[in-house]
């Protein structure tokens, strides 16, 4: 999966549940640690 696809998939699945979705307060990062790739928003709130 490319980073662009991973980014779009994260937005589709996670951003709809975030309390900050209307504030436009997003900082989505894709990090790689060993063999694990993690996609995470620094300001994500449930």
């Amino acid at each position: 999966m490319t980073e662009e696809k991973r980014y779009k998939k994260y937005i589709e699945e996670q951003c709809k549940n975030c309390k900050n979705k209307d504030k436009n307060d997003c900082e989505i990062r894709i990090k790689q640690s060993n063999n694990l790739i993690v996609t995470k928003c620094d300001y994500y709130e449930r």
Side-chain angles (χ1 to χ4, degrees), residues 15-46:
C15 292
K16 63 184 174 188
N17 299 322
C18 182
K19 289 182 181 178
N20 292 327
K21 67 182 174 191
D22 297 326
K23 297 178 186 175
N24 202 15
D25 193 15
C26 301
E27 191 67 38
I28 299 172
R29 301 178 188 265
I30 300 173
K31 302 175 186 174
Q32 184 170 5
S33 172
N34 296 331
N35 292 332
L36 184 66
I37 299 175
V38 178
T39 306
K40 179 182 171 187
C41 179
D42 291 339
Y43 300 111
Y44 180 79
E45 288 186 21
R46 284 205 162 201

